[in-house]
Amino acid sequence: MTQDTTQTKARLLAAAKKEFAAHGIAGARVDRIAELAGVNKERIYGYFGNKQKLFDLVVAGALDELAEAVPLEPGDDPAEYVGRVYDFHSAHPELVRLFLWEGLHYRDDVLPNEARRAGHYERKVQALAATFGTDDAPKVAACLLSLIGLAAWPNAVPQMTRLILGETAAQADLRTQVVEFARQAVAGSFPSTVGA
């Protein structure tokens, strides 16, 4: 692959991320993606096949970006993990929007690369289980889902955050409150981790 092809693909993926985050797969337009990337729209079809495949690739890239930026290792403080996820979504709100669009698009259908993605979360569940000193995978998995939801929800629905908390003054301390809530929830569910 030439340098030009690599750069063109990167520009197209960046433009597609913006377009899909703003409009979802149904509302996104290949013409706008191509224009934003500064290339002919035929390149999209030549490189990625179609809009669906491009969307799937963008979402997979977003998940990889999140996983790399916010790892969860055995022994990590779960509440601080929530804070890091919260920070990431605050800095990159387009990623949580992509995940929401994906949910609307696929609903209960099998996701592209579903097994690979499930494995990603299984590793996080294993890391949390090691931190908690338990092998109760269903309980730990439910905890992980709750922690991620707690961290992502304020950025997933910023209008609700604003309606409930008001403008920026009330939101400024939200991260601290979310992390502390997570700490208390984990301590209530997995008491052996208190002070760990």
Side-chain angles (χ1 to χ4, degrees):
M1 190 178 326
T2 67
Q3 176 95 3
D4 182 52
T5 302
T6 302
Q7 291 174 349
T8 301
K9 282 185 175 182
R11 287 197 321 270
L12 282 167
L13 288 169
K17 183 193 289 187
K18 289 179 184 177
E19 179 72 7
F20 288 132
H23 303 286
I25 188 168
R29 297 291 172 254
V30 172
D31 291 343
R32 286 193 300 244
I33 295 169
E35 183 179 336
L36 186 57
V39 300
N40 184 301
K41 75 177 183 178
E42 296 307 316
R43 293 272 180 110
I44 292 171
Y45 300 110
Y47 293 151
F48 306 108
N50 59 38
K51 186 169 76 166
Q52 174 75 49
K53 289 178 182 175
L54 178 58
F55 176 76
D56 294 340
L57 189 60
V58 166
V59 172
L63 180 61
D64 289 345
E65 184 180 343
L66 174 60
E68 185 177 318
V70 191
L72 180 61
E73 302 295 334
D76 283 357
D77 180 343
E80 290 305 318
Y81 170 73
V82 167
R84 293 192 324 267
V85 173
Y86 180 94
D87 292 342
F88 183 85
H89 285 305
S90 293
H92 307 281
E94 70 281 0
L95 296 188
V96 75
R97 286 195 302 267
L98 284 170
F99 299 143
L100 292 172
W101 283 118
E102 180 189 50
L104 290 170
H105 179 69
Y106 280 103
R107 300 191 185 276
D108 294 327
D109 292 343
V110 174
L111 297 169
N113 298 313
E114 184 156 333
R116 176 182 172 268
R117 292 171 68 176
H120 160 79
Y121 289 111
E122 177 58 31
R123 288 186 294 280
K124 288 186 181 290
V125 168
Q126 291 169 358
L128 265 184
T131 298
F132 296 154
T134 184
D135 59 359
D136 188 349
K139 185 176 179 182
V140 176
C143 179
L144 176 64
L145 179 62
S146 299
L147 293 175
I148 291 170
L150 183 62
W153 192 247
N155 293 295
V157 287
Q159 76 282 15
M160 184 182 291
T161 302
R162 185 182 68 253
L163 291 169
I164 293 172
L165 297 179
E167 293 301 325
T168 56
Q171 293 180 34
D173 198 35
L174 181 58
R175 182 198 191 275
T176 302
Q177 292 175 17
V178 166
V179 169
E180 184 54 32
F181 187 88
R183 190 174 313 287
Q184 291 175 17
V186 167
S189 297
F190 299 93
S192 64
T193 62
V194 176

